[in-house]
Amino acid sequence: MDPMIITARLLPKVVAPLVRKLLVRPGPGAFLVDRPLRISGLVSFRGEQRTLGERDVRRIAAKLVDRAVTPLPGATGAARERPVAPDEDRAVADALARSLCALGDLDLEIVQDARLEAAALTRQLRRAAPDATHGLTGDGAELHGILLHTAALHVLEFFTRLSGFGARTLVENRRALGRLDDAVGALAARLPSRSAEDAGFETRYAHDTAVLHNHLTIFGIDLAHSPDSWPLDAAYLGLRCETEPPAVDSGGPPEPAVPAEHALSGRCRILVRGVAGSGKTTLLQWLAVATARGELPAPLHRALYGRVPFLLPVRRFARHGLPSPGDFLAAVGYPGAEAQPPGWADRVLRAGRGLLLIDGVDEAPEDGRERLRRKLRDWTALYPGNIWIVTSRPSAVRADWLTADGFAELSLAPMSREDIAAFIQRWHRAAAQQEPDDLDRLGHYERTLLNAVRITRDLGRLATNPLMCGMLCALHRDRRGYLPDGRKELYEAALSMLLERRDRERAMGTTDGIDLPRQPKIQLLQKIAHWMLVNGRSEMDREIAVDTLAQHLPAIPDAARQGGPEEIYRHLLNRTGLLREPAPNTVDFVHRTFQDFLAARATVQRHDFGLLLNHAHLSEWEDVIRMAVALARPDECAALLNGLLAPLPGIRAAEARHRKLLAAACVEHAAELDPEVRHRVRRFTRDMVRPSTVAGARALGWIGPIVLEMLPEPAEVSDGEAYLLAVTATSIADDMAIDYLTGLRKRAYHPVRAQLAGAWRRYDTARYAREIIAHLDPDQLFFPAADVAELSALRDLGGRPYLQVAGEFTVAELIDGIVPADGLRRLWLAYGLGASMEWLAAFPRLEELRISRRLPRVTGVPDAIRVVEL
């Protein structure tokens, strides 16, 4: 049973008149007399004002049940299912009638009881008629509960409309009912507008979307029938998003990163930024599949249920821009595109029923991004009511790129320590399900890798996103517990695993008659990657790929003697694990990171450093240049860095600054570098790493730990500058940052202390607690706790009077972990607990409860505690 589907059938315009029949209006002046006005005195089936009998109450209950079990017009799939068997309808109606009759037994004052809410009224009715649901099945009891709560909302809404009614918190029930009315009304209004032809196609499209996108690439795990992929619902690791901090200091640490479904909830236009490998495409896949199936998490259920997802990778439209709605399906290669009814996509969007998932703005050429922005502006105006989620690499578009068009901005957060551990454990469980030859060693590999990423600095820096974590797991297993050092070595080892050892270890023969060594494969793949780089593409036509191979095959005899360009292309596609055909006659790399690495190798081998320098101001070339520095010889590396520092005619001042900062970011990738060049890079960029805005301070984090050596001495700056330096340093998820932050920990300026407190989760818990948290002045400062270990660390420090719940806890964990109990004065919930707040009575001196703006309203807060909604 889906409660949201049942609720959608209970249209307020139908339910409200039925419930109002159960009640009567009080006489004139009823609110002006001293005696209390009670609910039991206003029912229409008891007392002096009786107009209904109990038989009438049963008829009203039966009509409510009938509404709940009858599908809305045009509903399909799960939306047509009955919540209970037909022979239980009458039993549920009888139970509901007994519960509604209990309204006449309630001794509740509707004016003076200011804490009365729909949930509380529902509980009172259950207690007044405890045997009402006796004999019902589990589904029947659940349906009864949904109907009773809906009736309670309308009962209280009736009271709020009475002249003179003054209860404060009942207003919230009107708001809740209004939100429900809006959501249900919007869903109900959309469904009847579909023709039978549209509805039939949507059912097929939803099924196909779930099938086509329900897989992930997980490096190193080979399934018998689907190499290197894993079902999305089994492999998806919940991603977390960070929101932009408020412009005004909120009195505490920044809002913590929250699960993506919570961050996306309540927003209809969102730009999601994320670095390569952070999971942008995976997030949109997950949203498309969950929406198509109707299996959405609670925070997104109301907004996305019944919508039609369109997953639109920008790379498919890089040359010609986004297609018109009628061409959406054909452009992305959907096999059933020709079967869509004429004008169907346009009707979906005009009805406000679409979920537009536009992936990879950075995949469009820089001069095409402005056209894309204008198209988004036109579409959001032309098609109101739809939900738009756009993704991009952080540096591809400016911070406010879509703000004027009503888009909120979120960033995919780096994986936390807990996320990394969960990924490693899930990866090894997935590998074990394949019953491999090394099954007896997988447990050892898992334990040693978990330990390695915790204590080895370089590995911890690499394991910050799902792509890199998957590569680390695969290589650790492939090399029997040994891992290479550094990003370049990691990619080299990954290529070796995928191109040389993969088929051999899977005991696969040469099914296509071609047996290429590793090096010729790399050379050929580099040619394809280099073509994409030069032409500003993330994918290419199959015909162009074959022609590119034909041009270079004569120079690679190991490949030329084993087949023509068509045969070699098929071999690379089927046997390397690096190429794929996302649509008919189109080829791309399984991940952009591999394309960039191979393009960098090709450019370095061709000594084409001028090509890199001429494009270094473009964001899509950043990773290629950083990898080229890692691959280049010392003299080439020095020339490349000096070239980044040199002026380039025709570029803007901001682009010149970007090139110099890119030089600083590249230094850490150089295996060998002339000290004079290193010194020159620092001299040119030292003054550029004094940020003047919060956005600029955060953006410096992409340079990496080397920026810590270039930041000014903390003791020598003003409080305002110190805050910006704290933002920069805490954006670098490397324990080296702790050494710099120690210079800021004694600052009394509240924003500095709040920034340092809010960064705790990025670093080693014990060390950060010892070197930073313990030294922060606790005056008016909220200290975040994201897990039991952090609560324990705060307890060891004697507790703190202001605490922010910044992770998922049970009530028992909080009661046990917040010590001393009488020391807590203010509590800030940044994560929902899914429980009533009566447990707060365990903290006798608690004065204030803050609720983050994205959480639902809480209930059960003890009277002495003030509630503040942020």
Side-chain angles (χ1 to χ4, degrees), residues 575-603:
R575 302 264 44 94
T576 66
L578 284 173
L579 294 179
R580 64 180 180 180
E581 287 188 344
N585 300 314
T586 302
V587 63
D588 67 0
F589 284 88
V590 293
H591 200 278
R592 176 67 181 267
T593 301
F594 285 111
Q595 175 189 326
D596 289 344
F597 182 74
L598 289 166
R601 279 181 58 106
T603 305

Side-chain angles (χ1 to χ4, degrees), residues 697-731:
R698 191 177 296 109
L700 286 175
W702 71 274
I703 295 179
I706 191 175
V707 77
L708 297 168
E709 303 174 27
M710 303 161 63
L711 294 175
E713 189 64 32
E716 300 173 356
V717 300
S718 67
D719 281 344
E721 289 177 295
Y723 168 64
L724 295 175
L725 294 175
V727 171
T728 293
T730 55
S731 68

Side-chain angles (χ1 to χ4, degrees), residues 325-644:
D327 295 326
F328 278 175
L329 303 190
V332 299
Y334 172 59
E338 294 182 358
Q340 65 178 310
W344 166 74
D346 183 73
R347 287 192 294 276
V348 168
L349 297 186
R350 289 190 181 279
R353 298 176 48 233
L355 170 61
L356 285 298
L357 305 168
I358 301 171
D359 186 32
V361 168
D362 53 281
E363 308 266 18
E366 188 166 22
D367 58 359
R369 293 172 199 165
E370 184 58 28
R371 292 196 302 272
L372 174 58
R373 189 178 71 84
R374 288 196 298 268
K375 178 65 72 71
L376 286 173
R377 175 185 296 169
D378 293 343
W379 278 1
T380 53
L382 182 62
Y383 300 118
N386 297 286
I387 291 180
W388 308 77
I389 303 178
V390 181
T391 70
S392 175
R393 289 194 185 186
S395 57
V397 292
R398 64 180 186 272
D400 59 349
W401 191 60
L402 290 174
T403 302
D405 302 316
F407 280 74
E409 289 201 4
L410 302 173
S411 296
L412 286 176
M415 294 174 71
S416 67
R417 298 185 302 276
E418 295 78 12
D419 294 336
I420 294 168
F423 186 100
I424 291 172
Q425 291 164 348
R426 185 176 296 186
W427 190 98
H428 286 86
R429 284 198 301 270
Q433 291 180 24
Q434 304 311 303
E435 299 183 1
D437 294 338
D438 60 351
L439 179 61
D440 59 328
R441 297 190 294 275
L442 283 179
H444 171 71
Y445 292 155
E446 178 183 330
R447 291 189 297 273
T448 55
L449 183 56
L450 284 170
N451 188 57
V453 296
R454 278 195 296 265
I455 65 175
T456 306
R457 174 174 166 265
D458 287 342
L459 288 181
R461 288 174 54 195
L462 288 173
T464 57
N465 61 60
L467 172 70
M468 300 303 290
C469 275
M471 287 177 59
L472 287 173
C473 291
L475 288 168
H476 185 258
R477 175 191 180 190
D478 186 67
R479 297 188 165 211
R480 292 171 174 77
Y482 166 76
L483 278 172
D485 297 324
R487 192 174 299 269
K488 183 193 80 168
E489 290 76 16
L490 189 66
Y491 282 110
E492 294 280 11
L495 289 175
S496 173
M497 178 182 67
L498 292 170
L499 301 182
E500 185 177 28
R501 305 175 66 176
R502 179 172 177 264
D503 282 354
R504 184 175 72 240
E505 295 194 0
R506 293 168 68 201
M508 295 188 68
T510 57
T511 56
D512 54 9
I514 296 175
D515 185 14
L516 283 180
R518 169 176 173 268
Q519 195 55 40
K521 288 179 185 176
I522 290 179
Q523 293 298 121
L524 292 168
L525 290 167
Q526 285 179 189
K527 309 304 181 186
I528 294 174
H530 187 265
W531 185 95
M532 291 182 180
L533 176 70
V534 172
N535 289 277
R537 301 278 298 282
S538 296
E539 63 182 28
M540 62 195 300
D541 295 341
R542 186 181 189 278
E543 182 180 350
I544 295 176
V546 173
D547 288 344
T548 301
L549 294 175
Q551 295 173 29
H552 296 283
L553 270 179
I556 307 175
D558 279 345
R561 63 171 169 261
Q562 296 197 50
E566 184 68 43
E567 291 76 20
I568 296 298
Y569 168 79
R570 284 200 302 269
H571 177 79
L572 295 175
L573 178 68
N574 297 325
R575 302 264 44 94
T576 66
L578 284 173
L579 294 179
R580 64 180 180 180
E581 287 188 344
N585 300 314
T586 302
V587 63
D588 67 0
F589 284 88
V590 293
H591 200 278
R592 176 67 181 267
T593 301
F594 285 111
Q595 175 189 326
D596 289 344
F597 182 74
L598 289 166
R601 279 181 58 106
T603 305
V604 170
Q605 288 182 3
R606 295 161 65 104
H607 304 284
D608 200 354
F609 297 105
L611 175 70
L612 298 177
L613 291 173
N614 287 336
H615 294 84
H617 57 288
L618 302 178
S619 60
E620 59 267 33
W621 287 67
E622 286 174 6
D623 285 348
V624 177
I625 292 171
R626 294 171 80 164
M627 291 177 183
V629 169
L631 293 162
R633 293 178 300 188
D635 58 329
E636 297 168 335
C637 184
L640 187 52
L641 292 175
N642 282 326
L644 290 173

Side-chain angles (χ1 to χ4, degrees), residues 12-96:
K13 65 182 181 181
V14 175
V15 175
L18 291 173
V19 174
R20 280 200 294 269
K21 291 181 179 180
L22 301 172
L23 304 163
V24 295
R25 286 184 168 274
F31 285 91
L32 302 179
V33 299
D34 292 335
R35 69 177 183 273
L37 189 63
R38 304 183 187 279
I39 289 180
S40 57
L42 296 179
V43 298
S44 59
F45 48 86
R46 298 271 181 91
E48 298 176 358
Q49 302 184 74
R50 177 175 176 175
T51 58
L52 298 180
E54 292 192 5
R55 181 178 299 177
D56 298 306
V57 178
R58 285 196 294 272
R59 278 199 289 266
I60 290 172
K63 289 181 179 179
L64 291 172
V65 172
D66 182 63
R67 285 288 175 180
V69 301
T70 303
L72 292 171
T76 61
R80 291 198 57 81
E81 295 178 1
R82 286 182 59 89
V84 294
D87 57 2
E88 196 174 8
D89 288 0
R90 181 170 181 177
V92 175
D94 288 343
L96 181 62

